[in-house]
Amino acid sequence: MTTATASLAGRTVFRIGYGALQLERLRDRRGEAVALLRRAVELGVDHVDTAEFYGFGFANDVIREALRPEDGVLVVTKVGAAPDPAGRVPLRLAQRPEQLRAGVEDNLRSLGVDRLAVVNLRRLDTGPGLRPDGDQVVDLDDQLAVMTALRDEGKIGAIGLSSVTLDGLRRALPAGIVCVQNAYGLASRDDEDMLRLCLAENIAWVPFFPLGGAFPGLPKATDEPVVHAVAESLGVTPAQVGLAWLLHHAPNVLLIPGTADAAHLEANMAVGEITLDAETLAALDAVESRSSDVPIG
């Protein structure tokens, strides 16, 4: 059994949270979206990952409606991109300092709060996704300056980073970083050194695409024969094995799996009950790691 809790921005949280990206699939069934988030809280979720550009504001609207102050849920949002419904990819980069500030204001407004507990600065230095060009190539120090200013103003409680390199994280440490969100999972472990630095610095490691993702060329944990063999032996799904491996791999790992389905939500939360013995972990650790550095656009 893995430890059930870890630290995030000075709070002790359950290691399995909820990523709100998939809520958009319930856009035409808003009541179901609210009920799903309420169910997540009932199951123990106490940290939720979101962004203004998830569903063009829909995810934040649902969070605002569903979550109550007494729930004590830590809402983590992000800036660095903005909705672009007409684009080939439905978001555009928003890396400039004034755009980061505008993104914070947009999240404050849509979440209906006067302070964002944690805001991740989404860089575009590594992992799958868009790459910056033109005026969107912005020095990290300039971005951290506006993020720390927003924290000093009380609009941000804490700062995280996303899609950042090891060098970028090292440069940012003096600003006080509480979490890192990078693409990382059993089949793609390029960032092992960064994970270990985060562990040493008491920074939460919050992998996105923990099982692989929708981008072509991304390695997927659920494609690995050993993952299927372990799943069969334990009577769980391959996806649950991939998530359980992450919880066993390092104590500062937090999961934010997303789903629009209540049964899938319950399966994700049950991952915390899965025990992987030393032999099983060794077999999973032997899976070849392949790069997730897949640019698009």
Side-chain angles (χ1 to χ4, degrees), residues 31-268:
E32 286 186 36
V34 171
L36 183 72
L37 205 49
R38 290 304 312 160
R39 180 61 179 146
V41 173
E42 290 172 4
L43 291 169
V45 164
D46 57 7
H47 60 101
V48 171
D49 177 78
T50 188
E52 173 65 22
F53 51 86
Y54 286 178
F56 313 128
F58 180 74
N60 279 6
D61 286 345
V62 170
I63 289 168
R64 180 177 184 170
E65 180 176 344
L67 297 185
R68 304 158 187 163
E70 59 267 28
D71 295 328
V73 175
L74 185 69
V75 177
V76 180
T77 188
K78 63 183 67 68
V79 293
D84 184 16
R88 185 175 66 83
V89 178
L91 54 80
R92 59 179 172 79
L93 305 187
Q95 293 280 299
R96 293 181 58 77
E98 67 272 16
Q99 293 173 315
L100 299 179
R101 179 174 283 275
V104 165
E105 296 292 351
D106 288 343
N107 279 283
L108 287 167
R109 185 166 50 252
S110 60
L111 289 167
V113 296
D114 55 16
R115 179 175 175 271
L116 301 170
V118 183
V119 179
N120 286 320
L121 164 59
R122 178 175 176 163
R123 290 282 294 182
L124 302 137
D125 302 323
T126 185
L130 299 167
R131 292 290 183 266
D133 57 17
D135 70 354
Q136 290 300 306
V137 178
V138 182
D139 189 87
L140 175 61
D141 291 343
D142 294 335
Q143 294 178 317
L144 289 172
V146 71
M147 297 296 286
T148 53
L150 287 159
R151 187 178 58 193
D152 292 344
E153 293 165 23
K155 294 184 176 183
I156 289 176
I159 300 167
L161 293 173
S162 178
S163 297
V164 67
T165 62
L166 179 58
D167 178 63
L169 174 59
R170 286 181 175 135
R171 286 174 58 195
L173 286 177
I177 303 301
V178 301
C179 58
V180 171
Q181 282 191 6
N182 274 24
Y184 178 89
L186 174 63
S188 187
R189 307 187 298 277
D190 286 354
D191 286 338
E192 197 66 32
D193 289 344
M194 196 171 352
L195 189 163
R196 298 298 155 184
L197 176 59
C198 287
L199 181 59
E201 296 286 344
N202 195 32
I203 295 169
W205 182 258
V206 191
F208 67 86
F209 292 159
L211 300 173
F215 287 104
L218 270 184
K220 293 179 171 57
T222 51
D223 289 344
E224 299 294 333
V226 67
V227 171
H228 284 263
V230 170
E232 187 173 351
S233 71
L234 295 178
V236 298
T237 68
Q240 287 177 309
V241 171
L243 294 176
W245 176 84
L246 283 160
L247 291 179
H248 283 74
H249 187 60
N252 60 326
V253 171
L254 299 177
L255 300 181
I256 48 168
T259 181
D261 177 80
H264 191 198
L265 172 68
E266 294 185 10
N268 289 338

